[in-house]
Amino acid sequence: MGAKGWVVLKLLMFQSLFVSQSQEDFDFFYLVVQWPGAYCDTKRACCYPTSGKPDADFGIHGLWPNYKDGSWPSNCDPDSQFDRTQIEDLVSSMKKNWPTLSCPSNEGFEFWEHEWEKHGTCSESVMDQHEYFENALKLKDKANLLQILTNSGINPDDGFYGLSEITKAIKDGIGFTPGIQCNKDPERNAQLYQIYLCVDTSGTEFIECPVLPRGRCPAQLQFAKF
Ligand code: AMP
């Protein structure tokens, strides 16, 4: 091979290195939001954050990289520690939109650290720590789920609503079918616990879900007061 050939080959090798490094190692994200009333009315203890009772609104649980086969990566980079100095400008919004409910009462950093370490570190090929939290906040804001539901007459009033009615309201509002997850209150009634929305690998656009999580919801479910 002549000198020119070598240069072309080296360029190609360099390019393939670059392409393989920038490729995502997951297929899509779930944005998982949670109804605080359903986290708090189970037998498990719930503690309001130090800033007080959260708004009666869906709170972010996490932005989770996932595979199309339903499995997911976790704890991908033990060297990438949660660093609160990188998200200082987001903390007040996180306290409002990503409230911790675990006990003992705390500000939320433990919850956010857990989400970063378990899920966020698996999306480092496409976003850094600041972008990870910022993208989740923007997506939650864009989804506006409580407004979508209340506009369809589905209110957090301890009433029972059809699973298909809830699913349809969200599909009509966002354009994509959500995953709905239930848990049980102390009277063993199934209730709306978490909503899963699928997001593209850039972490910015909602997409149709490649696979929906198993939601354990019956045809009628309660929407708990909070
Ligand atoms: P994950 O590990 O991200 O799949 O989420 C499950 C963990 O998050 C469990 O340990 C839950 O108890 C915890 N968790 C879920 N929701 C909250 C919340 N609002 N505040 C604090 N911890 C939570």
Side-chain angles (χ1 to χ4, degrees):
M1 198 177 337
K4 229 175 167 183
W6 277 112
V7 171
V8 171
L9 188 67
K10 282 207 168 141
L11 270 174
L12 283 173
M13 281 163 69
F14 180 74
Q15 191 192 30
S16 75
L17 196 78
F18 181 76
V19 168
S20 65
Q21 276 185 351
S22 65
Q23 234 159 26
E24 312 84 30
D25 26 27
F26 58 97
D27 298 321
F28 68 100
F29 287 100
Y30 283 126
L31 174 73
V32 184
V33 302
Q34 178 187 69
W35 183 248
Y39 184 98
C40 285
D41 76 356
T42 58
K43 279 178 225 151
R44 167 176 58 183
C46 137
C47 292
Y48 295 156
T50 42
S51 47
K53 184 179 176 177
D55 292 346
D57 187 12
F58 289 94
I60 299 170
H61 183 164
L63 184 62
W64 299 347
N66 238 79
Y67 299 119
K68 275 187 272 194
D69 69 0
S71 68
W72 60 89
S74 65
N75 301 95
C76 296
D77 184 4
D79 294 331
S80 173
Q81 281 177 4
F82 176 72
D83 174 9
R84 59 172 82 183
T85 66
Q86 289 185 36
I87 54 162
E88 261 160 10
D89 60 317
L90 302 176
V91 166
S92 70
S93 177
M94 286 169 66
K95 285 184 175 170
K96 184 173 157 58
N97 294 292
W98 202 326
T100 181
L101 292 169
S102 63
C103 297
S105 179
N106 64 93
E107 284 186 279
F109 290 102
E110 285 91 343
F111 185 29
W112 306 328
E113 177 173 31
H114 169 83
E115 291 301 307
W116 169 255
E117 287 174 357
K118 183 170 177 186
H119 303 283
T121 56
C122 300
S123 61
E124 282 178 312
S125 60
V126 288
M127 58 186 80
D128 63 22
Q129 207 169 129
H130 187 272
E131 288 165 332
Y132 176 77
F133 289 103
E134 188 180 36
N135 283 336
L137 290 167
K138 283 186 178 161
L139 288 163
K140 187 240 155 175
D141 203 46
K142 185 154 92 165
N144 206 4
L145 283 168
L146 186 62
Q147 189 74 50
I148 285 178
L149 291 174
T150 56
N151 283 350
S152 300
I154 301 165
N155 299 297
D157 56 3
D158 280 345
F160 282 79
Y161 298 92
L163 175 61
S164 56
E165 187 189 349
I166 293 171
T167 305
K168 183 176 184 308
I170 297 171
K171 183 171 168 42
D172 291 348
I174 294 178
F176 303 104
T177 304
I180 308 290
Q181 187 184 19
C182 289
N183 67 2
K184 284 192 171 156
D185 71 8
E187 287 97 58
R188 312 292 302 157
N189 288 319
Q191 59 181 351
L192 177 58
Y193 173 46
Q194 298 197 122
I195 300 176
Y196 290 60
L197 300 175
C198 291
V199 178
D200 70 353
T201 50
S202 76
T204 59
E205 303 293 333
F206 293 118
I207 55 169
E208 203 53 61
C209 283
V211 54
L212 285 170
R214 261 180 290 143
R216 296 190 291 267
C217 289
Q220 293 287 320
L221 47 135
Q222 201 169 24
F223 194 2
K225 279 187 184 153
F226 182 64

